[in-house]
Amino acid sequence: MNNAPRVLLHPGQLHQRAVELGKQITHDYTGKDLHLVCVLKGAVMFLADLMRQMDIPLTLDFLAVSSYGAATETSGVVRILKDLDTPIEGRNVLVVEDIIDTGLTLDYLMRTLDERSPRNLRACVLLDKKEHHEVEVPLDYIGFEIENVFVVGYGIDFNEKYRYLPYVGVLNANSN
Ligand code: IMP
Ligand code: MG
């Protein structure tokens, strides 16, 4: 029996979208100093692919927020587990995140970062479960809109597993 997650977005599609978004972001930030803030750990593969498609000088920082842990639904409670290394005051900040589900995590994050007075604050997300938003989150760049299914791979985990997969897949009920 094959329990591998069912492919939803294959590597070619992910690459192609990173190329497109990279071009768009390059265009939008030409002449500005771009500061990328990657949300650990789920967004790292997307970040790595996206970043090398950007033809502009940029700087990079990471932060980590509390996740679902072993559960597949959000608790609504968000906590910063690892904060940024450098201040973002006066900078053009683009947050790179893996998935928006209810929107609670990004909403909290954007409000927290906004209090630090960046010059400009935007968000780029790989996957958007648009139908499942509970709060309104302004997304400036979206990789793909997806159905309300639990996905793994391409950096995204279930209970810390599956991050290494080169594709985005849907977890089978009997996967482990
Ligand atoms: P939200 O706060 O409900 O928008 O959830 C956002 C966070 O939950 C994302 O940054 C992911 O880390 C995690 N998440 C949401 N949906 C999934 C999924 O389908 N697979 C794995 N993690 C998910
Ligand atoms: Mg996340």
Coordinates of all heavy atoms in Angstrom, one line a residue, residues 95-173:
V95 N 7.2 39.7 4.3 CA 7.1 38.5 5.1 C 6.8 37.3 4.1 O 5.9 37.4 3.3 CB 5.9 38.6 6.1 CG1 5.7 37.3 6.9 CG2 6.2 39.7 7.1
V96 N 7.6 36.3 4.3 CA 7.4 35.1 3.4 C 6.9 34.0 4.3 O 7.5 33.5 5.2 CB 8.7 34.7 2.7 CG1 8.5 33.4 1.9 CG2 9.3 35.8 1.9
E97 N 5.7 33.5 4.0 CA 5.0 32.5 4.9 C 4.5 31.3 4.0 O 4.4 31.4 2.8 CB 3.8 33.2 5.6 CG 2.8 32.3 6.3 CD 3.4 31.6 7.5 OE1 4.5 30.9 7.3 OE2 2.8 31.7 8.6
D98 N 4.4 30.2 4.6 CA 4.0 29.0 3.9 C 2.5 28.9 3.5 O 2.1 28.9 2.4 CB 4.4 27.7 4.6 CG 3.9 27.6 6.0 OD1 3.2 28.5 6.5 OD2 4.2 26.6 6.7
I99 N 1.6 29.0 4.6 CA 0.2 28.8 4.3 C -0.6 29.8 5.1 O -0.3 30.0 6.3 CB -0.3 27.4 4.8 CG1 0.6 26.3 4.2 CG2 -1.7 27.1 4.4 CD1 0.1 24.9 4.6
I100 N -1.7 30.2 4.5 CA -2.7 31.0 5.3 C -3.9 30.1 5.4 O -4.5 29.6 4.3 CB -3.1 32.3 4.6 CG1 -1.9 33.1 4.3 CG2 -4.1 33.1 5.5 CD1 -1.0 33.4 5.5
D101 N -4.3 29.8 6.6 CA -5.5 28.9 6.8 C -6.6 29.8 7.3 O -7.4 30.4 6.6 CB -5.1 27.8 7.7 CG -6.3 26.8 7.9 OD1 -7.3 26.9 7.3 OD2 -6.1 25.8 8.7
T102 N -6.7 29.9 8.7 CA -7.7 30.9 9.2 C -7.2 32.3 9.1 O -8.0 33.2 9.2 CB -7.9 30.6 10.7 OG1 -6.6 30.8 11.4 CG2 -8.3 29.2 11.0
G103 N -5.9 32.5 8.9 CA -5.4 33.8 8.8 C -4.9 34.4 10.2 O -4.3 35.5 10.2
L104 N -5.2 33.7 11.3 CA -4.9 34.2 12.6 C -3.4 34.4 12.8 O -3.0 35.4 13.4 CB -5.4 33.2 13.7 CG -7.0 33.2 13.8 CD1 -7.4 32.0 14.6 CD2 -7.5 34.5 14.4
T105 N -2.6 33.4 12.3 CA -1.1 33.5 12.5 C -0.6 34.8 11.8 O 0.1 35.6 12.4 CB -0.4 32.3 12.0 OG1 -1.0 31.1 12.6 CG2 1.1 32.3 12.3
L106 N -0.9 34.9 10.6 CA -0.3 36.1 9.8 C -0.9 37.4 10.3 O -0.2 38.4 10.4 CB -0.6 35.9 8.3 CG 0.2 36.9 7.5 CD1 1.7 36.6 7.5 CD2 -0.3 37.0 6.1
D107 N -2.1 37.4 10.7 CA -2.8 38.6 11.2 C -2.0 39.1 12.5 O -1.7 40.2 12.6 CB -4.2 38.3 11.6 CG -4.9 39.5 12.2 OD1 -4.9 40.6 11.5 OD2 -5.4 39.5 13.3
Y108 N -1.7 38.1 13.4 CA -1.0 38.4 14.6 C 0.4 39.0 14.2 O 0.9 40.0 14.8 CB -0.9 37.2 15.5 CG 0.1 37.4 16.6 CD1 -0.4 38.0 17.8 CD2 1.4 37.0 16.5 CE1 0.5 38.2 18.9 CE2 2.3 37.2 17.6 CZ 1.8 37.8 18.8 OH 2.7 38.0 19.8
L109 N 1.0 38.2 13.3 CA 2.4 38.6 12.9 C 2.5 40.0 12.3 O 3.4 40.8 12.6 CB 2.9 37.5 11.9 CG 4.4 37.3 11.8 CD1 4.9 36.8 13.2 CD2 4.6 36.2 10.8
M110 N 1.6 40.3 11.4 CA 1.6 41.5 10.7 C 1.4 42.7 11.7 O 2.0 43.7 11.6 CB 0.6 41.6 9.6 CG 0.9 40.6 8.5 SD 2.5 40.8 7.7 CE 2.0 41.8 6.3
R111 N 0.5 42.5 12.6 CA 0.2 43.5 13.6 C 1.4 43.7 14.5 O 1.8 44.9 14.8 CB -1.0 43.2 14.5 CG -2.3 43.5 13.7 CD -3.6 43.3 14.5 NE -3.9 41.9 14.8 CZ -3.9 41.4 16.0 NH1 -3.6 42.1 17.1 NH2 -4.2 40.1 16.2
T112 N 2.1 42.6 14.9 CA 3.3 42.7 15.8 C 4.4 43.5 15.0 O 5.1 44.3 15.6 CB 3.7 41.3 16.2 OG1 2.7 40.6 16.8 CG2 4.9 41.4 17.1
L113 N 4.6 43.1 13.8 CA 5.7 43.7 13.0 C 5.4 45.2 12.7 O 6.3 46.0 12.7 CB 6.0 42.9 11.7 CG 6.5 41.5 11.9 CD1 6.7 40.8 10.5 CD2 7.8 41.5 12.7
D114 N 4.1 45.5 12.5 CA 3.7 46.8 12.1 C 4.0 47.8 13.3 O 4.4 49.0 13.1 CB 2.3 46.9 11.8 CG 1.9 48.1 11.0 OD1 2.7 48.5 10.1 OD2 0.9 48.7 11.3
E115 N 3.9 47.3 14.5 CA 4.2 48.1 15.7 C 5.7 48.5 15.7 O 6.1 49.5 16.5 CB 3.9 47.3 17.0 CG 2.4 47.2 17.3 CD 2.1 46.3 18.4 OE1 3.0 45.8 19.1 OE2 0.9 46.0 18.6
R116 N 6.5 47.9 15.0 CA 8.0 48.2 14.9 C 8.3 49.2 13.9 O 9.5 49.4 13.6 CB 8.8 46.9 14.7 CG 8.5 45.9 15.8 CD 9.3 44.6 15.6 NE 8.9 43.6 16.6 CZ 9.5 42.4 16.7 NH1 10.6 42.1 15.9 NH2 9.1 41.5 17.5
S117 N 7.3 49.8 13.3 CA 7.4 50.9 12.3 C 8.3 50.7 11.1 O 9.2 51.4 10.8 CB 8.0 52.2 13.1 OG 7.2 52.5 14.2
P118 N 8.0 49.6 10.4 CA 8.7 49.4 9.1 C 8.2 50.5 8.1 O 7.1 51.1 8.4 CB 8.3 48.0 8.6 CG 6.9 47.8 9.3 CD 7.0 48.5 10.6
R119 N 9.0 50.8 7.1 CA 8.5 51.8 6.1 C 7.4 51.2 5.4 O 6.4 51.9 5.1 CB 9.7 52.2 5.2 CG 9.2 53.2 4.1 CD 10.3 53.4 3.1 NE 11.5 54.0 3.8 CZ 12.7 54.0 3.2 NH1 12.9 53.6 2.0 NH2 13.8 54.5 3.8
N120 N 7.5 49.9 5.1 CA 6.5 49.3 4.2 C 6.4 47.8 4.7 O 7.5 47.2 5.0 CB 7.0 49.4 2.8 CG 6.0 48.8 1.8 OD1 6.2 47.6 1.5 ND2 5.1 49.5 1.3
L121 N 5.2 47.2 4.8 CA 5.1 45.9 5.3 C 4.1 45.1 4.4 O 2.9 45.5 4.3 CB 4.6 45.9 6.7 CG 4.4 44.5 7.4 CD1 5.7 43.8 7.5 CD2 3.8 44.7 8.8
R122 N 4.6 44.1 3.7 CA 3.8 43.2 2.8 C 4.0 41.8 3.2 O 4.9 41.4 3.9 CB 4.1 43.5 1.4 CG 3.8 44.9 0.9 CD 4.0 45.0 -0.6 NE 3.8 46.3 -1.1 CZ 4.3 46.8 -2.2 NH1 4.9 46.0 -3.0 NH2 4.0 48.0 -2.6
A123 N 3.1 40.9 2.6 CA 3.2 39.5 2.8 C 3.1 38.7 1.5 O 2.4 39.1 0.6 CB 2.0 39.0 3.7
C124 N 4.0 37.7 1.4 CA 4.0 36.8 0.3 C 3.8 35.4 0.9 O 4.5 34.9 1.7 CB 5.3 36.9 -0.4 SG 5.5 35.7 -1.7
V125 N 2.7 34.7 0.4 CA 2.4 33.4 0.9 C 2.4 32.4 -0.2 O 1.9 32.7 -1.3 CB 1.1 33.5 1.7 CG1 -0.1 33.9 0.8 CG2 0.7 32.1 2.3
L126 N 2.9 31.2 0.0 CA 2.9 30.1 -1.0 C 1.4 29.6 -1.2 O 1.0 29.6 -2.4 CB 3.8 29.0 -0.6 CG 3.7 27.8 -1.5 CD1 4.3 28.1 -2.9 CD2 4.4 26.6 -0.9
L127 N 0.7 29.3 -0.2 CA -0.6 28.7 -0.3 C -1.6 29.4 0.5 O -1.4 29.8 1.6 CB -0.5 27.2 0.2 CG 0.5 26.3 -0.5 CD1 0.5 24.9 0.3 CD2 0.2 26.1 -1.9
D128 N -2.8 29.6 -0.1 CA -3.8 30.4 0.6 C -5.1 29.5 0.5 O -5.7 29.2 -0.5 CB -4.1 31.7 -0.2 CG -5.1 32.5 0.5 OD1 -5.4 32.3 1.7 OD2 -5.7 33.4 -0.1
K129 N -5.6 29.1 1.8 CA -6.9 28.4 1.9 C -7.9 29.5 2.0 O -8.5 29.8 3.1 CB -6.9 27.5 3.1 CG -5.8 26.4 3.0 CD -6.0 25.5 4.2 CE -4.8 24.5 4.2 NZ -4.9 23.6 5.4
K130 N -8.2 30.2 0.9 CA -9.0 31.4 1.0 C -10.4 31.2 1.6 O -10.9 32.1 2.3 CB -9.2 31.9 -0.5 CG -9.5 33.3 -0.6 CD -9.6 33.8 -2.0 CE -10.0 35.2 -2.1 NZ -10.3 35.6 -3.5
E131 N -11.0 30.1 1.4 CA -12.4 29.8 1.9 C -12.4 29.7 3.4 O -13.5 29.7 4.0 CB -12.9 28.5 1.3 CG -13.0 28.5 -0.3 CD -14.0 29.6 -0.8 OE1 -15.1 29.6 -0.3 OE2 -13.6 30.3 -1.7
H132 N -11.2 29.5 4.0 CA -11.2 29.2 5.4 C -10.8 30.3 6.3 O -10.6 30.2 7.5 CB -10.3 27.9 5.7 CG -10.7 27.1 6.8 ND1 -9.8 26.6 7.7 CD2 -11.9 26.5 7.1 CE1 -10.4 25.8 8.6 NE2 -11.7 25.8 8.3
H133 N -10.6 31.5 5.7 CA -10.1 32.6 6.5 C -11.1 33.0 7.6 O -12.3 33.0 7.4 CB -9.9 33.9 5.6 CG -8.8 33.8 4.7 ND1 -8.3 34.9 4.0 CD2 -7.9 32.8 4.4 CE1 -7.2 34.5 3.3 NE2 -7.0 33.2 3.5
E134 N -10.7 33.3 8.8 CA -11.5 33.8 9.9 C -11.3 35.3 10.1 O -12.2 35.9 10.7 CB -11.3 33.0 11.2 CG -11.8 31.6 11.1 CD -11.5 30.8 12.4 OE1 -11.2 31.4 13.4 OE2 -11.5 29.5 12.3
V135 N -10.2 35.7 9.7 CA -9.9 37.2 9.8 C -9.4 37.6 8.4 O -8.9 36.8 7.6 CB -8.8 37.5 10.8 CG1 -9.4 37.4 12.2 CG2 -7.6 36.7 10.6
E136 N -9.6 38.9 8.2 CA -9.2 39.5 6.9 C -7.7 39.7 6.9 O -7.2 40.5 7.8 CB -9.9 40.8 6.6 CG -10.1 41.1 5.1 CD -10.7 42.4 4.9 OE1 -11.8 42.6 5.5 OE2 -10.2 43.2 4.2
V137 N -6.9 39.1 6.0 CA -5.5 39.4 6.0 C -5.1 39.8 4.6 O -5.4 39.2 3.6 CB -4.6 38.1 6.3 CG1 -4.4 38.0 7.8 CG2 -5.3 36.8 5.8
P138 N -4.5 41.0 4.5 CA -4.1 41.5 3.2 C -2.9 40.8 2.6 O -1.8 40.8 3.3 CB -3.8 43.0 3.4 CG -3.7 43.1 4.9 CD -4.1 41.9 5.6
L139 N -3.1 40.0 1.6 CA -2.0 39.3 1.0 C -1.6 39.9 -0.3 O -2.4 40.1 -1.2 CB -2.4 37.8 0.7 CG -2.8 37.0 1.9 CD1 -3.3 35.7 1.5 CD2 -1.6 36.9 2.9
D140 N -0.3 40.3 -0.4 CA 0.2 41.0 -1.6 C 0.6 40.1 -2.7 O 0.5 40.4 -3.8 CB 1.3 41.9 -1.1 CG 0.9 42.9 0.0 OD1 0.3 43.9 -0.3 OD2 1.1 42.6 1.2
Y141 N 1.2 38.9 -2.3 CA 1.6 38.0 -3.3 C 1.2 36.6 -2.8 O 1.5 36.2 -1.7 CB 3.2 38.0 -3.4 CG 3.7 39.4 -3.7 CD1 4.2 40.2 -2.7 CD2 3.8 39.9 -5.0 CE1 4.7 41.4 -2.9 CE2 4.3 41.1 -5.2 CZ 4.8 41.9 -4.2 OH 5.3 43.2 -4.4
I142 N 0.5 35.9 -3.7 CA 0.0 34.5 -3.4 C 0.5 33.5 -4.5 O 0.4 33.8 -5.7 CB -1.6 34.5 -3.4 CG1 -2.1 35.5 -2.3 CG2 -2.1 33.1 -3.1 CD1 -3.6 35.7 -2.4
G143 N 1.1 32.4 -4.0 CA 1.5 31.4 -4.9 C 0.3 30.7 -5.5 O 0.1 30.7 -6.7
F144 N -0.5 30.0 -4.7 CA -1.6 29.2 -5.2 C -2.7 29.3 -4.1 O -2.5 29.3 -2.9 CB -1.2 27.7 -5.3 CG -0.1 27.5 -6.2 CD1 1.2 27.4 -5.8 CD2 -0.3 27.2 -7.6 CE1 2.3 27.2 -6.6 CE2 0.7 26.9 -8.4 CZ 2.0 26.9 -8.0
E145 N -4.0 29.4 -4.6 CA -5.1 29.2 -3.8 C -5.5 27.8 -3.8 O -5.5 27.1 -4.8 CB -6.3 30.1 -4.3 CG -6.2 31.5 -4.0 CD -7.4 32.3 -4.6 OE1 -8.4 31.7 -5.0 OE2 -7.2 33.6 -4.6
I146 N -5.7 27.2 -2.6 CA -6.0 25.8 -2.5 C -7.3 25.5 -1.7 O -7.7 26.4 -1.0 CB -4.9 24.9 -1.9 CG1 -4.5 25.4 -0.5 CG2 -3.6 25.0 -2.8 CD1 -3.7 24.4 0.3
E147 N -7.8 24.4 -1.9 CA -9.0 23.9 -1.1 C -8.7 23.8 0.4 O -7.5 23.8 0.7 CB -9.5 22.6 -1.6 CG -9.8 22.5 -3.1 CD -11.1 23.1 -3.4 OE1 -12.2 22.5 -3.0 OE2 -11.2 24.2 -4.1
N148 N -9.7 23.6 1.2 CA -9.4 23.4 2.6 C -9.0 22.0 2.9 O -9.8 21.2 3.5 CB -10.7 23.9 3.4 CG -10.5 23.8 4.9 OD1 -9.3 23.9 5.4 ND2 -11.5 23.6 5.6
V149 N -7.8 21.6 2.5 CA -7.3 20.3 2.8 C -6.0 20.4 3.5 O -5.3 21.5 3.4 CB -7.0 19.5 1.5 CG1 -8.3 19.0 0.9 CG2 -6.2 20.3 0.5
F150 N -5.6 19.4 4.3 CA -4.3 19.5 5.0 C -3.2 19.1 4.1 O -3.2 17.9 3.6 CB -4.4 18.7 6.3 CG -3.3 19.0 7.2 CD1 -3.4 20.1 8.1 CD2 -2.1 18.3 7.2 CE1 -2.4 20.5 8.9 CE2 -1.0 18.7 8.1 CZ -1.2 19.8 9.0
V151 N -2.2 19.9 3.9 CA -1.1 19.6 2.9 C 0.2 19.5 3.7 O 0.4 20.1 4.7 CB -1.0 20.7 1.8 CG1 -2.2 20.7 0.9 CG2 -0.8 22.1 2.4
V152 N 1.1 18.8 3.0 CA 2.5 18.7 3.5 C 3.5 18.7 2.4 O 3.1 18.7 1.2 CB 2.7 17.3 4.3 CG1 1.8 17.2 5.5 CG2 2.4 16.1 3.3
G153 N 4.8 18.8 2.7 CA 5.8 18.8 1.7 C 6.3 20.2 1.3 O 5.6 21.2 1.7
Y154 N 7.4 20.3 0.6 CA 8.0 21.5 0.1 C 8.1 22.5 1.4 O 7.8 23.6 1.3 CB 7.1 22.2 -0.9 CG 7.7 23.3 -1.7 CD1 8.8 23.1 -2.5 CD2 7.2 24.6 -1.7 CE1 9.4 24.1 -3.3 CE2 7.7 25.6 -2.5 CZ 8.9 25.3 -3.2 OH 9.4 26.4 -4.0
G155 N 8.6 21.9 2.4 CA 8.9 22.7 3.7 C 7.8 22.5 4.7 O 8.0 22.7 5.9
I156 N 6.6 22.1 4.3 CA 5.4 22.1 5.2 C 5.3 20.7 5.8 O 5.5 19.7 5.2 CB 4.2 22.4 4.4 CG1 4.3 23.8 3.8 CG2 2.9 22.3 5.2 CD1 3.4 24.1 2.6
D157 N 5.0 20.7 7.1 CA 5.0 19.5 7.9 C 3.7 19.1 8.4 O 2.7 19.9 8.5 CB 6.0 19.6 9.1 CG 5.3 20.5 10.2 OD1 4.8 21.6 9.9 OD2 5.3 20.0 11.4
F158 N 3.6 17.8 8.8 CA 2.6 17.4 9.8 C 3.4 16.7 10.9 O 4.1 15.7 10.7 CB 1.6 16.4 9.2 CG 0.8 15.7 10.2 CD1 -0.1 16.5 11.0 CD2 0.8 14.3 10.4 CE1 -0.9 15.9 12.0 CE2 0.0 13.7 11.4 CZ -0.8 14.5 12.2
N159 N 3.4 17.3 12.1 CA 4.1 16.8 13.2 C 5.6 16.6 12.9 O 6.2 15.6 13.2 CB 3.5 15.5 13.6 CG 3.6 15.2 15.1 OD1 4.1 16.0 15.9 ND2 3.2 14.0 15.6
E160 N 6.2 17.6 12.2 CA 7.6 17.7 11.8 C 8.0 16.7 10.7 O 9.1 16.7 10.3 CB 8.5 17.5 13.0 CG 8.5 18.7 14.0 CD 8.8 20.1 13.4 OE1 9.7 20.1 12.5 OE2 8.2 21.1 13.8
K161 N 7.0 16.0 10.2 CA 7.4 15.1 9.1 C 7.0 15.7 7.7 O 6.2 16.6 7.7 CB 6.6 13.7 9.3 CG 7.2 13.0 10.5 CD 6.6 11.6 10.6 CE 5.2 11.5 11.0 NZ 4.8 10.2 11.3
Y162 N 7.6 15.1 6.7 CA 7.3 15.4 5.3 C 7.9 16.7 4.7 O 7.6 17.0 3.6 CB 5.7 15.5 5.0 CG 5.0 14.2 5.4 CD1 4.2 14.2 6.6 CD2 5.0 13.1 4.7 CE1 3.5 13.1 6.9 CE2 4.3 12.0 5.0 CZ 3.5 12.0 6.2 OH 2.8 10.9 6.5
R163 N 8.6 17.5 5.5 CA 9.1 18.8 5.0 C 10.0 18.6 3.8 O 10.1 19.5 3.0 CB 9.9 19.5 6.1 CG 9.1 19.9 7.3 CD 10.0 20.9 8.1 NE 9.4 21.1 9.5 CZ 8.5 22.0 9.8 NH1 8.0 22.8 8.8 NH2 8.1 22.2 11.0
Y164 N 10.7 17.5 3.7 CA 11.7 17.3 2.7 C 11.1 17.0 1.3 O 11.8 17.1 0.3 CB 12.6 16.1 3.1 CG 11.9 14.8 3.1 CD1 11.9 14.0 2.0 CD2 11.1 14.4 4.2 CE1 11.2 12.8 2.0 CE2 10.4 13.2 4.2 CZ 10.5 12.4 3.1 OH 9.8 11.2 3.1
L165 N 9.8 16.7 1.2 CA 9.2 16.3 -0.1 C 9.4 17.5 -1.1 O 9.1 18.6 -0.7 CB 7.8 15.9 0.1 CG 7.4 14.7 0.9 CD1 5.9 14.6 1.1 CD2 8.0 13.4 0.3
P166 N 9.7 17.2 -2.3 CA 9.9 18.3 -3.3 C 8.6 18.8 -3.9 O 8.6 19.6 -4.8 CB 10.8 17.6 -4.4 CG 10.5 16.2 -4.3 CD 10.1 15.9 -2.9
Y167 N 7.5 18.2 -3.5 CA 6.2 18.6 -4.0 C 5.2 18.9 -2.8 O 5.5 18.6 -1.6 CB 5.6 17.5 -4.8 CG 5.3 16.2 -4.1 CD1 4.1 15.9 -3.5 CD2 6.3 15.2 -4.0 CE1 3.9 14.8 -2.8 CE2 6.1 14.0 -3.3 CZ 4.9 13.8 -2.7 OH 4.6 12.6 -2.0
V168 N 4.1 19.6 -3.1 CA 3.1 19.8 -2.1 C 2.0 18.7 -2.3 O 1.5 18.5 -3.4 CB 2.4 21.2 -2.2 CG1 1.2 21.3 -1.3 CG2 3.4 22.3 -1.9
G169 N 1.8 17.9 -1.2 CA 0.8 16.8 -1.3 C -0.2 16.9 -0.2 O -0.1 17.6 0.8
V170 N -1.3 16.1 -0.5 CA -2.4 16.0 0.5 C -2.2 14.7 1.3 O -2.0 13.7 0.7 CB -3.8 16.0 -0.2 CG1 -4.9 15.9 0.8 CG2 -3.9 17.3 -1.0
L171 N -2.3 14.9 2.6 CA -2.0 13.7 3.5 C -3.2 12.8 3.4 O -4.4 13.2 3.5 CB -1.9 14.2 4.9 CG -1.0 13.5 5.9 CD1 0.4 13.3 5.3 CD2 -0.9 14.3 7.1
N172 N -2.9 11.5 3.2 CA -4.0 10.5 3.2 C -4.4 10.2 4.7 O -3.5 10.4 5.6 CB -3.5 9.1 2.6 CG -3.2 9.3 1.2 OD1 -3.9 9.8 0.4 ND2 -2.0 8.8 0.8
A173 N -5.6 9.8 4.9 CA -6.1 9.5 6.3 C -5.2 8.5 6.9 O -5.0 8.5 8.2 CB -7.5 9.1 6.2

